[in-house]
Amino acid sequence: MSAQSALEQTMRATELPAEPIERLDRTSTGIADMTAVILCGGQGTRLREETEFKPKPMVEVGGRPILWHIMKLYRHFGVRNFVLCLGYRGDMIRDYFLNYRLRNSDFAVDLGTGALETLQAGEAEDWRVVLAETGADTQTAQRLRRALKFVRTSSFFATYGDGLADVDLGALLAHHRRQRRAATVTAVHPSSRFGELAIGGGLVKSFQEKPQVTEGWINGGFMVFEKRAFDGIGPDDNLPLEAGVLEMLAQRQELAVYQHGGFWQCMDTYREMCLLNEMWAKGSAPWQVWQECSSNRLTA
């Protein structure tokens, strides 16, 4: 069974409530104690124009790595603990976070002694970031398994380092806890790779460039896992997440689904990177739920 059919099977087996899912109360449920594990180790071969010299999560949208945008989304909902699963060109991600504050500060350096004096401190996030080396050729399920030792709670968020969305992460977590399964995936409608025409009377009535399709669901990342979801994976089992763990959980009826009908866009190609950058430049970036002012859109 393919990963796509596993998701479809899960969606058929999971009955969602008709009423809107209530927002999660962050204080009583401890969402602030949750960890978000982000897969940052892939090579991004379909975006070779950018990933020839940098890891895909470091490809920029609006002057910031797409990874930064993902982390800002999680922080908006109360998550400040992150584990980044590094692989391909992981040193670039390490350098980015080691020098994060300096990139936004005015400072003087004495070239003779190497002494550094901060003249004006720049912005700094209150994130706690674990930079975990998970291997250059490691598959995604094994990367997550190797990150478990850095996760302090029994459940945790996980996502890919190349997709943006306006998912309500509080509602996602509340849904996961109600379903009481080992994992929950966020199902999304992918955007069409072609323009959509509305035709009538031999004329084009409207044209929409790359709309979100209304039929079909895919795994859009933004997942919640219980640690027990990885109990069957050993240290030498180099398995992919979707075709490995998620298929297995679906067969055991341990995979719940949260349907997100809002914005979602991956960054697999150069065209999709340009699309995300255009949305940001126009001030119409749906994933920017933290509503950061334009003065903070400088390169970090």
Side-chain angles (χ1 to χ4, degrees), residues 42-56:
Q43 295 189 20
T45 54
R46 285 185 288 180
L47 189 58
R48 187 57 76 182
E49 297 93 337
E50 292 287 328
T51 57
E52 182 75 26
F53 305 106
K54 67 178 70 170
K56 197 175 183 183

Side-chain angles (χ1 to χ4, degrees), residues 252-265:
R252 296 177 182 176
Q253 296 188 335
E254 280 283 5
L255 182 62
V257 61
Y258 174 74
Q259 291 174 263
H260 172 64
F263 174 83
W264 176 86
Q265 179 62 58

Side-chain angles (χ1 to χ4, degrees), residues 46 65 80 102 139 141 144 148 180 225 235 262 271:
R46 285 185 288 180
R80 64 174 295 269
L102 285 179
Q139 297 281 355
L144 290 180
L148 293 182
R180 298 184 179 181
F225 285 98
R271 184 180 181 185

Side-chain angles (χ1 to χ4, degrees), residues 40-271:
C40 299
Q43 295 189 20
T45 54
R46 285 185 288 180
L47 189 58
R48 187 57 76 182
E49 297 93 337
E50 292 287 328
T51 57
E52 182 75 26
F53 305 106
K54 67 178 70 170
K56 197 175 183 183
M58 293 302 293
V59 175
E60 293 187 351
V61 175
R64 305 265 197 172
I66 191 172
L67 176 60
W68 177 88
H69 293 262
I70 296 168
M71 296 170 76
K72 287 289 284 187
L73 174 69
Y74 277 98
R75 187 65 188 99
H76 173 74
F77 287 95
V79 179
R80 64 174 295 269
N81 297 305
F82 297 92
V83 178
L84 307 184
C85 298
L86 306 183
Y88 175 71
R89 296 192 179 275
D91 284 347
M92 291 190 69
I93 300 177
R94 290 189 182 90
D95 291 344
Y96 177 78
F97 286 101
L98 284 172
N99 295 295
Y100 190 93
R101 184 182 290 271
L102 285 179
R103 289 173 183 269
N104 294 281
S105 301
D106 296 333
F107 61 91
V109 58
D110 188 316
L111 299 182
T113 65
L116 190 67
E117 178 186 0
T118 300
L119 305 176
Q120 181 174 342
E123 62 173 302
E125 308 291 346
D126 63 343
W127 306 338
R128 181 180 185 273
V129 185
V130 174
L131 298 145
E133 177 56 55
T134 55
D137 301 315
T138 309
Q139 297 281 355
T140 46
Q142 184 61 231
R143 289 188 192 279
L144 290 180
R145 180 193 173 276
R146 293 180 182 180
L148 293 182
K149 59 186 176 183
F150 302 113
V151 177
R152 300 169 176 174
T153 53
S154 60
S155 57
F156 62 96
F157 290 107
T159 196
Y160 306 102
D162 63 354
L164 297 173
D166 58 356
V167 176
D168 185 332
L169 298 172
L172 165 64
L173 182 57
H175 178 74
H176 170 76
R177 288 177 172 169
R178 281 197 302 274
Q179 294 296 318
R180 298 184 179 181
R181 297 296 193 267
T184 299
V185 298
T186 296
V188 300
H189 292 300
S191 62
S192 171
R193 294 186 183 273
F194 305 95
E196 183 176 272
L197 301 178
I199 300 173
L203 299 175
V204 175
K205 298 296 186 181
S206 67
F207 176 84
Q208 187 176 4
E209 175 70 7
K210 297 190 71 175
Q212 299 291 122
V213 299
T214 56
E215 299 295 331
W217 296 87
I218 65 171
N219 175 18
F222 300 99
M223 301 164 282
V224 186
F225 285 98
E226 300 299 318
K227 284 186 175 179
R228 63 185 175 86
F230 297 87
D231 285 350
I233 301 180
D236 298 322
D237 295 329
N238 197 20
L239 299 174
L241 181 60
E242 295 204 6
V245 171
L246 296 185
E247 275 194 13
M248 175 187 66
L249 293 176
Q251 292 168 1
R252 296 177 182 176
Q253 296 188 335
E254 280 283 5
L255 182 62
V257 61
Y258 174 74
Q259 291 174 263
H260 172 64
F263 174 83
W264 176 86
Q265 179 62 58
C266 63
M267 190 181 64
D268 279 339
T269 66
Y270 182 78
R271 184 180 181 185

Side-chain angles (χ1 to χ4, degrees), residues 278-293:
E278 288 170 7
M279 297 175 79
W280 184 267
K282 293 177 180 177
S284 58
W287 68 88
Q288 194 191 8
V289 296
W290 58 90
Q291 296 180 343
E292 189 172 63
C293 65

